[in-house]
Amino acid sequence: MAKATKQPSKIAAERKPAPTKRSASAKVSAQEHTGAEDDVNITALDLASGKLSPEMDAYFKKCDEKLGFVPNVLKAFAFDNAKLEAFVAYRQQLVQNAETLSKLEIEMIATAVSSQNRCFYCITAHGNGVRALGTPVLGEMMVQNYRAARLSKRQRPMLDFAVKLTLTPWEIEEADRETLRRSGFTDRDIWDIASVAAFYNMTNRLASATDMRPNSVYHGQAR
Amino acid sequence: MAKATKQPSKIAAERKPAPTKRSASAKVSAQEHTGAEDDVNITALDLASGKLSPEMDAYFKKCDEKLGFVPNVLKAFAFDNAKLEAFVAYRQQLVQNAETLSKLEIEMIATAVSSQNRCFYCITAHGNGVRALGTPVLGEMMVQNYRAARLSKRQRPMLDFAVKLTLTPWEIEEADRETLRRSGFTDRDIWDIASVAAFYNMTNRLASATDMRPNSVYHGQAR
Amino acid sequence: MAKATKQPSKIAAERKPAPTKRSASAKVSAQEHTGAEDDVNITALDLASGKLSPEMDAYFKKCDEKLGFVPNVLKAFAFDNAKLEAFVAYRQQLVQNAETLSKLEIEMIATAVSSQNRCFYCITAHGNGVRALGTPVLGEMMVQNYRAARLSKRQRPMLDFAVKLTLTPWEIEEADRETLRRSGFTDRDIWDIASVAAFYNMTNRLASATDMRPNSVYHGQAR
Amino acid sequence: MAKATKQPSKIAAERKPAPTKRSASAKVSAQEHTGAEDDVNITALDLASGKLSPEMDAYFKKCDEKLGFVPNVLKAFAFDNAKLEAFVAYRQQLVQNAETLSKLEIEMIATAVSSQNRCFYCITAHGNGVRALGTPVLGEMMVQNYRAARLSKRQRPMLDFAVKLTLTPWEIEEADRETLRRSGFTDRDIWDIASVAAFYNMTNRLASATDMRPNSVYHGQAR
Amino acid sequence: MAKATKQPSKIAAERKPAPTKRSASAKVSAQEHTGAEDDVNITALDLASGKLSPEMDAYFKKCDEKLGFVPNVLKAFAFDNAKLEAFVAYRQQLVQNAETLSKLEIEMIATAVSSQNRCFYCITAHGNGVRALGTPVLGEMMVQNYRAARLSKRQRPMLDFAVKLTLTPWEIEEADRETLRRSGFTDRDIWDIASVAAFYNMTNRLASATDMRPNSVYHGQAR
Amino acid sequence: MAKATKQPSKIAAERKPAPTKRSASAKVSAQEHTGAEDDVNITALDLASGKLSPEMDAYFKKCDEKLGFVPNVLKAFAFDNAKLEAFVAYRQQLVQNAETLSKLEIEMIATAVSSQNRCFYCITAHGNGVRALGTPVLGEMMVQNYRAARLSKRQRPMLDFAVKLTLTPWEIEEADRETLRRSGFTDRDIWDIASVAAFYNMTNRLASATDMRPNSVYHGQAR
């Protein structure tokens, strides 16, 4: 199947985790945007390759086995193994260990937040997550305008909170938390929603600052 | 192939061009967003079916033959055949009859403009256009953040102009037109770029005002 | 009466429908802004004159008879007779054929929308419309801040919808349509309000992109 | 001449300087916006009439003789003679006593600033000033979008500075002052431009906060 | 105590009221920001010293006695004694002579408004006022985000009105005034709140336009 | 010294790391904002106390020894020891381990970013950092408007990048990175600046979402 050609060579990809700065002559005609370059030149920064710890090396291998590739954000961090480990651990604790939020709900928040910040890397990676865990149409709605989705009485206020927290955090007040509580969320859930939304406000900016590129394989998945 | 099931029944679709108002109980769980309802309840307005002229009937049939479906925007206009005809003619003259803009460039402008206005209908339909005429990755970039694409010296100022015209039209001045001229565009091209960008600023708002839904088949195409 | 001198020579005006690009040395001292140049150099684009069809020629003559001039927007489109015809037909169907909106209400929407987009051409032409069909004061309010007018329970939500659709179309939701319905509007009226507001969001951008200038005669009318 | 009927009765107007709160049933049909009420109920606040000092009484009389009416802003301040005197003196010193700015230039700044703040009172009063001292067309441009005017190399940067100071004062830096200096302005002129722009940012807000209404006679003048 | 060294020499300060333009080589390393220069070079404008009237000379002396310094805003105006007198009188009448607003409430409005406009001079001077009249913590909240303070049912709507009037004055309507009335404010109070908020919108812009610097002594006071 | 009374009791503070939800009757008169409550009720969420690991317990003790208190952000995370550890490690790696950015520069970025997001917790904590490592005046400038500071050719573009990344991350492009490189920053520095700015965009939102309150002792320090 043609799409297989978009997938980066697994072996090459995992052996060279650190990005090399992309060439200056990167402008291409519209028809040439195959995404292939995005799998090689991951960020706009020229950072020398670091050495992965055995744990991180194993983690990259596990990604490759499960997903067929190592997400570029991990490779981008790999110039410094200590930063990579801290990032992976933080994401585990502050995003993935939410108490009642489902994996799909986490991906919905990640995508809706990233859409507000127009982050190419994160919209691509997490839009894919919503498509895979929810439906392809729901993924597109989270990317384009989450208000277009007909959401449950739990998920709409959850996203309203996450998006307001993204756009005008200084306007979040007790009334906003009360809306979440009335929608069935506990105070721990409020922490988790905030924590996920805040995390992607961070990665959106790290990705935009470095022109981080998503693995091209994401684009065709779960369509 | 599984995606075929997303495609609306052609026969049913073309026989009933006018939308019926969607049911109030439209909220569904996230996993149920299949897009199927979008093919039946096209807008939030309850407008009685109008009768198509022979010309428009033929045009719908031709769409169905070429695309496999009638775009929902046409069905949405079909409650009044005279409006439908005016829309089709206007789009033909003001969007499709551009002098040197390629079909792909027109779709790129349409998608980048619609992304600024976060219009679910138009991003979906024209993002598909960019994917089909350009590449899947280019389509995603136009949807998410056109600045992520490595564009030619012609296409980047073209999109910069279209997006500025969308966001702060009152700030467009001679210097903006001069930038286009220096990028190789004629005055006729400037008209065409403006005309296409202005047209989608119109349809974005008509679609948002009526909650117009894109044909679900778009989502899976040209991925 | 002195103001008569502002009116463009009818005969010259209608014989040369297509604009010629304005001279580069167009900057003048503040006291010299008579608007006279705006009747000659209609846009910033240098587009060769097109030939009008007999129908459009007759339409221009009819404008001249009824208004005393041909609106510059029509002359701006006249470089291409097919585009001109499509524009006139579209405006007829999507703006003028509203079901219950009065001519004044259409002009109110046009002016309030154009004011948000700060479009010199459209505010001038449609502010004049509001002054003529309503009152001079109402015209000024639509130009400056529609909230200053003491509007009926029908017209205020109508303008609120049109202005929200102009500024943040992605935030229009069912609640906005329900507000219109509760104010006595039918679903067909919602279409019409949206259609008029969307149309002027288009012309505002076409006028701003080309620096289209209003006929100077508008400024002094219906004061 | 018909417009004379719009002019408030001079005698009644000057005898009752203090506004009385407008009636709650103020909503009228669009055709009834004659502005007549604006000459009677000047603000939305119910403030008891104050007694004018002989100096202010004489000033009101002088306004009436020169203009044919007392500007409503003065009547609005008249509930407290000390505030009125301070306002008149401050305006004299900080606006009218500019060193090289012409009266027209002051009115241009006042109108362009008030247009950004969409202040019905100030746009009306100062738009009239630009029409009277400059041209009717220039007045309309200042109201609608000052960028539409073809301004001299002195007046365009003057307005750019005033408008930037209005919208994003925190972004004004030495480079902005240098642009004014290179355009021929002295440091004293920079003070004056800033002082005028700042003054109208104040009156715009005082007028908006109290729903201050302009004398209806302004609308028809200098057209 | 070390902080005493920050205080400008009283004698030098009051003898030279007019600012001299600051040197071009003003960029310093971060550790050198002692504020000392701010006490000498008060604005970015080079305006020749004016002569103070006996009344203003006495007023400066009184400031120096009470505060230990002459506020730089007064020195900045002192290039023209007539402007200075008008400013002092206007501030007395329109800010300080509020009917029921306490001195602290006036400082709270001044600081919250100045924070929206990010004005270094006014936030510094009035943040100090809130700290001195209220508490140090309240001062910090007004500077940073007034919503962080737990305010009384009187003070929160007062600040909401002042901040909305600052950011979107065109959206202030009768409903906003009604909210103040329901919170116990009279129409005269509404005038006063508006007058104070409007005044600081003026001084914020005058200070930003001229890069006016606050007396360094403010920073350490009432902490 | 009076300020000592503001400092929370160390012993009580460190024994109860987890916040308890603040009482509903939290509104106080302006004079009562002593900040004392902020040291007890740290966030608006009611999250049960967690047990600290020996490492985190030691870390809290070390904070208390060095600073005289445990920063409230750490106590806020302490409901879940694993999250706390991840946060501390991430901050260590992504913020504190910058290669060439000085501690002061990191605090400057943190404060300027937090000021854009109007975050009470972070402006307070990091404004203190700038005051302590730089000067009191520099701290105030970072809080109020970083453009007011006369910064070196290294620090101004550093903050411009961090603030643009905060406000419009989607507009960061290669030209922005080139500006940093021309200002002497390496690609590794660009990563570090982005990483610090991104981190505080995260904590700003976590703090705003939970109404996290800064230790009151910060307010009076390094003044």
Side-chain angles (χ1 to χ4, degrees):
Chain A
M1 206 264 282
K3 276 173 184 169
T5 63
K6 275 200 251 163
Q7 199 168 315
S9 156
K10 294 175 193 183
I11 295 162
E14 87 195 44
R15 285 304 80 117
K16 287 186 172 185
T20 56
K21 195 183 163 192
R22 72 175 59 85
S23 66
S25 62
K27 298 215 171 161
V28 296
S29 82
Q31 282 81 353
E32 295 170 36
H33 280 85
T34 63
E37 198 205 7
D38 293 349
D39 296 317
V40 183
N41 295 320
I42 294 169
T43 76
L45 303 184
D46 190 6
L47 298 174
S49 267
K51 187 170 163 45
L52 294 186
S53 66
E55 290 76 13
M56 285 297 108
D57 196 56
Y59 183 60
F60 272 43
K61 286 206 175 69
K62 192 174 136 197
C63 286
D64 206 23
E65 278 163 31
K66 276 183 62 176
L67 305 173
F69 60 95
V70 178
N72 283 348
V73 66
L74 299 179
K75 294 187 199 167
F77 267 93
F79 74 92
D80 180 333
N81 188 72
K83 290 189 198 303
L84 173 63
E85 286 188 340
F87 176 78
V88 169
Y90 189 73
R91 189 176 60 170
Q92 176 64 34
Q93 286 302 324
L94 272 294
V95 175
Q96 294 161 340
N97 277 7
E99 203 171 68
T100 78
L101 299 181
S102 69
K103 282 188 181 183
L104 171 57
E105 287 169 337
I106 291 172
E107 295 294 300
M108 289 168 73
I109 295 172
T111 310
V113 163
S114 302
S115 169
Q116 300 302 317
N117 291 327
R118 301 189 182 282
C119 173
F120 178 47
Y121 186 93
C122 303
I123 301 176
T124 298
H126 297 285
N128 183 26
V130 178
R131 294 195 304 271
L133 296 165
T135 67
V137 179
L138 186 68
E140 292 298 87
M141 288 164 163
M142 291 303 108
V143 170
Q144 299 179 22
N145 185 355
Y146 77 96
R147 295 174 195 86
R150 317 217 178 290
L151 298 169
S152 70
K153 287 186 179 174
R154 171 183 166 90
Q155 292 169 342
R156 178 61 196 259
M158 176 189 81
L159 293 180
D160 283 343
F161 187 90
V163 166
K164 183 176 179 182
L165 188 60
T166 298
L167 297 179
T168 53
W170 55 87
E171 291 184 351
I172 293 279
E173 297 202 62
E174 189 61 17
D176 300 290
R177 286 180 287 271
E178 276 304 316
T179 298
L180 289 183
R181 290 185 189 112
R182 277 197 310 274
S183 306
F185 291 103
T186 65
D187 276 23
R188 170 61 199 272
D189 292 331
I190 297 175
W191 173 280
D192 288 339
I193 295 170
S195 180
V196 173
F199 182 85
Y200 289 104
N201 269 286
M202 178 186 65
T203 61
N204 290 171
R205 286 174 174 84
L206 204 43
S208 292
T210 61
D211 195 18
M212 196 181 289
R213 316 296 289 192
N215 304 61
S216 66
V217 69
Y218 282 126
H219 299 299
Q221 287 186 335
R223 298 292 186 185
Chain B
M1 205 268 283
K3 276 174 184 168
T5 62
K6 276 202 249 164
Q7 197 168 318
S9 155
K10 294 176 191 183
I11 294 163
E14 88 193 42
R15 287 304 79 118
K16 287 185 170 187
T20 58
K21 195 183 165 194
R22 74 174 58 84
S23 66
S25 62
K27 298 212 172 164
V28 296
S29 82
Q31 284 78 355
E32 295 170 35
H33 280 85
T34 64
E37 199 204 6
D38 293 350
D39 296 317
V40 183
N41 295 320
I42 294 169
T43 76
L45 303 184
D46 190 6
L47 298 173
S49 266
K51 189 170 162 42
L52 295 186
S53 66
E55 290 76 13
M56 286 296 109
D57 197 57
Y59 182 60
F60 273 42
K61 285 206 176 68
K62 192 172 135 198
C63 287
D64 207 24
E65 278 163 30
K66 278 182 60 177
L67 307 173
F69 60 94
V70 178
N72 282 349
V73 65
L74 300 179
K75 293 187 199 168
F77 267 95
F79 76 91
D80 181 331
N81 188 71
K83 289 188 198 305
L84 173 63
E85 287 189 337
F87 176 77
V88 169
Y90 189 73
R91 190 177 58 170
Q92 175 64 34
Q93 287 301 326
L94 272 295
V95 175
Q96 295 160 339
N97 278 6
E99 205 171 66
T100 76
L101 300 180
S102 71
K103 280 188 183 184
L104 171 58
E105 287 170 336
I106 291 172
E107 294 295 297
M108 288 167 73
I109 296 172
T111 309
V113 163
S114 302
S115 169
Q116 300 303 316
N117 290 326
R118 301 189 182 281
C119 173
F120 179 47
Y121 185 94
C122 304
I123 301 175
T124 299
H126 297 285
N128 183 25
V130 178
R131 295 194 304 271
L133 295 165
T135 67
V137 179
L138 185 69
E140 292 299 86
M141 288 164 163
M142 293 301 108
V143 170
Q144 297 179 23
N145 185 355
Y146 78 96
R147 296 174 195 85
R150 318 218 177 286
L151 297 170
S152 69
K153 286 187 179 175
R154 171 184 167 90
Q155 291 170 343
R156 178 61 196 260
M158 175 188 82
L159 292 181
D160 283 342
F161 187 91
V163 167
K164 183 175 180 182
L165 188 59
T166 298
L167 295 180
T168 53
W170 55 87
E171 291 185 350
I172 293 278
E173 297 202 64
E174 189 62 15
D176 300 290
R177 286 180 288 270
E178 277 303 316
T179 298
L180 289 183
R181 289 185 190 114
R182 277 197 311 274
S183 306
F185 290 104
T186 66
D187 276 23
R188 171 59 199 273
D189 291 331
I190 297 176
W191 172 279
D192 288 339
I193 294 169
S195 180
V196 172
F199 183 84
Y200 289 104
N201 269 286
M202 178 186 66
T203 61
N204 288 171
R205 286 173 174 84
L206 203 43
S208 292
T210 62
D211 195 17
M212 197 180 290
R213 315 297 286 194
N215 305 62
S216 66
V217 68
Y218 283 125
H219 300 299
Q221 287 186 335
R223 298 292 185 182
Chain C
M1 205 268 281
K3 276 177 185 167
T5 62
K6 274 201 254 167
Q7 197 167 318
S9 157
K10 293 177 191 183
I11 294 162
E14 90 193 40
R15 288 301 78 117
K16 286 185 170 186
T20 57
K21 195 182 163 192
R22 73 175 59 86
S23 65
S25 62
K27 298 216 170 159
V28 296
S29 82
Q31 284 79 354
E32 294 169 37
H33 279 86
T34 63
E37 198 203 8
D38 293 350
D39 296 317
V40 183
N41 296 319
I42 295 169
T43 76
L45 303 184
D46 190 6
L47 298 174
S49 267
K51 187 170 162 44
L52 295 187
S53 66
E55 290 76 14
M56 285 297 107
D57 196 57
Y59 182 62
F60 272 43
K61 286 205 174 71
K62 192 174 136 197
C63 286
D64 207 25
E65 278 162 31
K66 279 183 60 178
L67 306 174
F69 61 94
V70 178
N72 282 350
V73 65
L74 299 179
K75 293 187 200 168
F77 267 93
F79 75 90
D80 180 334
N81 188 71
K83 288 188 197 304
L84 173 63
E85 287 189 339
F87 176 77
V88 169
Y90 190 74
R91 189 177 60 170
Q92 175 63 34
Q93 286 303 325
L94 271 294
V95 176
Q96 295 162 339
N97 278 6
E99 203 171 67
T100 77
L101 299 181
S102 70
K103 281 187 181 182
L104 172 57
E105 288 170 337
I106 290 171
E107 294 295 300
M108 289 167 73
I109 296 172
T111 310
V113 163
S114 302
S115 169
Q116 301 302 316
N117 291 326
R118 301 190 183 280
C119 173
F120 179 46
Y121 185 95
C122 303
I123 300 176
T124 298
H126 297 285
N128 183 25
V130 178
R131 293 194 306 269
L133 296 166
T135 68
V137 179
L138 186 68
E140 293 298 87
M141 288 164 163
M142 291 302 108
V143 170
Q144 297 178 23
N145 185 354
Y146 78 96
R147 294 174 195 84
R150 317 217 177 291
L151 297 170
S152 69
K153 287 186 179 174
R154 170 184 166 90
Q155 292 170 343
R156 179 60 195 260
M158 175 189 82
L159 292 180
D160 283 342
F161 187 91
V163 166
K164 182 175 180 182
L165 188 59
T166 298
L167 297 179
T168 52
W170 55 87
E171 290 184 350
I172 293 278
E173 296 201 63
E174 189 62 14
D176 300 290
R177 288 180 288 270
E178 277 304 316
T179 298
L180 289 182
R181 289 183 190 114
R182 277 197 311 272
S183 305
F185 291 103
T186 65
D187 276 23
R188 170 59 199 272
D189 292 331
I190 297 175
W191 173 279
D192 288 339
I193 294 169
S195 180
V196 172
F199 183 84
Y200 289 105
N201 269 286
M202 179 187 65
T203 61
N204 289 172
R205 286 173 174 83
L206 202 43
S208 293
T210 61
D211 195 17
M212 196 180 289
R213 316 296 289 194
N215 304 64
S216 67
V217 68
Y218 282 125
H219 300 299
Q221 288 185 337
R223 297 293 186 181
Chain D
M1 204 266 281
K3 276 174 185 170
T5 63
K6 273 200 253 167
Q7 197 168 319
S9 157
K10 295 175 192 182
I11 295 162
E14 90 194 41
R15 288 303 79 119
K16 288 186 172 183
T20 56
K21 195 182 163 193
R22 73 176 58 86
S23 65
S25 62
K27 298 217 170 159
V28 296
S29 82
Q31 283 80 355
E32 294 169 35
H33 280 84
T34 64
E37 198 205 6
D38 293 349
D39 296 317
V40 183
N41 295 320
I42 294 169
T43 77
L45 302 184
D46 190 5
L47 298 174
S49 268
K51 188 168 162 47
L52 295 186
S53 66
E55 290 76 13
M56 285 297 108
D57 197 55
Y59 183 61
F60 273 43
K61 285 206 175 69
K62 190 173 137 198
C63 287
D64 206 24
E65 277 162 32
K66 276 183 63 177
L67 307 173
F69 61 95
V70 178
N72 283 349
V73 67
L74 299 179
K75 294 187 199 168
F77 267 93
F79 75 92
D80 180 332
N81 188 71
K83 289 188 199 303
L84 173 63
E85 287 189 338
F87 176 78
V88 169
Y90 189 74
R91 189 177 58 171
Q92 176 63 33
Q93 286 302 325
L94 272 293
V95 176
Q96 294 162 339
N97 278 6
E99 204 171 66
T100 76
L101 298 181
S102 69
K103 281 188 181 184
L104 172 57
E105 286 170 338
I106 291 171
E107 293 295 299
M108 288 167 74
I109 296 172
T111 310
V113 163
S114 302
S115 169
Q116 301 303 316
N117 291 326
R118 301 190 183 281
C119 173
F120 179 47
Y121 186 94
C122 303
I123 301 176
T124 298
H126 297 285
N128 183 26
V130 178
R131 294 195 304 271
L133 296 165
T135 66
V137 178
L138 186 69
E140 293 298 86
M141 288 164 163
M142 292 301 109
V143 171
Q144 298 178 23
N145 185 355
Y146 77 97
R147 295 175 195 85
R150 316 215 176 291
L151 298 169
S152 69
K153 285 186 179 175
R154 172 182 165 91
Q155 292 170 343
R156 179 59 197 261
M158 174 189 82
L159 293 180
D160 284 342
F161 187 90
V163 166
K164 183 175 180 183
L165 189 59
T166 298
L167 297 180
T168 52
W170 55 86
E171 291 184 350
I172 293 278
E173 297 201 64
E174 189 62 16
D176 300 290
R177 287 181 288 271
E178 277 302 317
T179 298
L180 288 183
R181 290 184 190 114
R182 276 197 310 273
S183 306
F185 291 103
T186 65
D187 276 22
R188 170 61 199 270
D189 291 330
I190 297 176
W191 173 281
D192 288 338
I193 294 169
S195 180
V196 173
F199 183 84
Y200 289 104
N201 270 287
M202 179 187 65
T203 61
N204 290 171
R205 285 174 175 83
L206 203 44
S208 293
T210 62
D211 195 17
M212 197 180 289
R213 316 296 289 194
N215 305 63
S216 67
V217 68
Y218 283 125
H219 300 299
Q221 288 186 335
R223 297 294 185 182
Chain E
M1 202 269 283
K3 275 174 184 168
T5 63
K6 273 200 252 162
Q7 199 168 316
S9 156
K10 293 175 190 182
I11 295 162
E14 88 196 39
R15 287 306 78 124
K16 287 186 172 184
T20 56
K21 195 183 166 194
R22 73 174 58 85
S23 66
S25 61
K27 299 217 170 161
V28 296
S29 84
Q31 282 80 353
E32 295 170 36
H33 279 85
T34 64
E37 198 205 7
D38 294 349
D39 296 317
V40 183
N41 295 319
I42 295 170
T43 76
L45 303 184
D46 190 5
L47 297 174
S49 267
K51 189 171 161 41
L52 295 186
S53 65
E55 290 77 12
M56 285 297 107
D57 196 56
Y59 182 61
F60 274 42
K61 286 207 175 69
K62 193 174 135 197
C63 286
D64 206 23
E65 279 162 32
K66 278 183 60 177
L67 306 174
F69 60 94
V70 178
N72 283 349
V73 66
L74 299 179
K75 294 187 199 167
F77 267 94
F79 74 92
D80 179 333
N81 188 71
K83 289 188 199 303
L84 173 64
E85 287 189 336
F87 176 77
V88 169
Y90 189 73
R91 189 177 58 171
Q92 175 63 35
Q93 287 302 325
L94 271 295
V95 175
Q96 294 161 339
N97 277 6
E99 205 170 65
T100 77
L101 299 181
S102 69
K103 281 188 182 183
L104 171 58
E105 287 169 338
I106 290 171
E107 294 296 298
M108 289 167 73
I109 296 172
T111 310
V113 163
S114 302
S115 169
Q116 300 304 316
N117 291 325
R118 300 189 183 282
C119 174
F120 178 48
Y121 186 94
C122 304
I123 301 176
T124 299
H126 297 285
N128 183 26
V130 177
R131 294 195 304 270
L133 296 165
T135 67
V137 179
L138 186 68
E140 293 298 87
M141 288 164 162
M142 292 301 109
V143 170
Q144 297 179 22
N145 185 354
Y146 78 96
R147 296 175 195 85
R150 317 217 176 287
L151 298 169
S152 69
K153 287 187 177 175
R154 171 184 166 91
Q155 292 169 342
R156 177 62 195 260
M158 176 189 81
L159 293 180
D160 284 342
F161 187 90
V163 166
K164 182 176 179 182
L165 188 59
T166 297
L167 297 179
T168 52
W170 55 87
E171 289 184 350
I172 293 279
E173 296 203 63
E174 189 61 17
D176 300 290
R177 288 180 287 271
E178 277 302 317
T179 298
L180 288 182
R181 291 184 188 113
R182 276 197 311 273
S183 306
F185 291 103
T186 64
D187 276 23
R188 170 59 198 273
D189 292 330
I190 297 175
W191 173 279
D192 288 339
I193 295 169
S195 181
V196 173
F199 183 84
Y200 289 105
N201 270 286
M202 180 186 65
T203 61
N204 289 171
R205 286 174 174 82
L206 204 43
S208 293
T210 62
D211 195 17
M212 196 180 290
R213 316 295 289 192
N215 305 63
S216 66
V217 68
Y218 282 126
H219 300 299
Q221 287 186 334
R223 298 293 185 182
Chain F
M1 204 265 281
K3 275 174 183 170
T5 62
K6 274 200 249 165
Q7 199 167 316
S9 157
K10 293 176 192 182
I11 294 163
E14 89 195 40
R15 289 302 80 121
K16 287 186 171 184
T20 57
K21 195 182 164 193
R22 74 175 58 83
S23 66
S25 63
K27 298 213 169 163
V28 296
S29 83
Q31 283 79 354
E32 294 169 36
H33 279 85
T34 63
E37 198 203 7
D38 294 349
D39 295 317
V40 184
N41 296 319
I42 295 170
T43 76
L45 302 185
D46 191 5
L47 298 174
S49 268
K51 189 170 162 42
L52 294 186
S53 66
E55 290 77 12
M56 285 298 108
D57 196 56
Y59 183 61
F60 273 43
K61 285 206 175 71
K62 191 174 137 197
C63 287
D64 206 24
E65 278 162 32
K66 278 183 60 176
L67 306 173
F69 60 95
V70 178
N72 283 349
V73 66
L74 299 179
K75 294 188 200 168
F77 267 93
F79 75 92
D80 180 333
N81 188 71
K83 290 188 197 303
L84 173 63
E85 287 189 337
F87 176 78
V88 169
Y90 189 73
R91 191 177 56 171
Q92 175 63 35
Q93 287 302 326
L94 273 293
V95 175
Q96 296 161 337
N97 278 5
E99 203 170 67
T100 77
L101 299 181
S102 70
K103 280 188 182 183
L104 171 57
E105 287 169 338
I106 290 172
E107 293 296 297
M108 289 167 74
I109 296 172
T111 310
V113 163
S114 302
S115 169
Q116 301 302 317
N117 291 327
R118 302 188 182 283
C119 174
F120 179 47
Y121 185 94
C122 304
I123 300 176
T124 298
H126 297 285
N128 183 26
V130 178
R131 293 194 306 271
L133 296 165
T135 67
V137 179
L138 186 69
E140 292 298 88
M141 288 164 163
M142 293 301 110
V143 170
Q144 298 179 23
N145 185 354
Y146 77 96
R147 295 175 194 85
R150 317 218 176 289
L151 297 169
S152 69
K153 286 188 178 173
R154 171 183 165 90
Q155 291 169 344
R156 178 60 195 261
M158 174 189 82
L159 293 180
D160 283 341
F161 187 90
V163 166
K164 182 174 180 183
L165 188 60
T166 299
L167 296 180
T168 52
W170 55 88
E171 291 184 350
I172 293 279
E173 297 201 62
E174 189 62 16
D176 300 290
R177 286 180 289 270
E178 277 302 319
T179 298
L180 289 183
R181 289 185 190 113
R182 278 196 310 272
S183 305
F185 291 103
T186 65
D187 275 22
R188 170 59 199 272
D189 291 331
I190 297 175
W191 173 279
D192 288 339
I193 294 169
S195 181
V196 174
F199 183 84
Y200 289 104
N201 269 287
M202 179 186 66
T203 61
N204 290 171
R205 286 173 175 84
L206 203 45
S208 293
T210 62
D211 195 18
M212 197 181 290
R213 316 296 288 193
N215 304 62
S216 65
V217 69
Y218 283 126
H219 300 299
Q221 288 185 335
R223 298 291 186 185

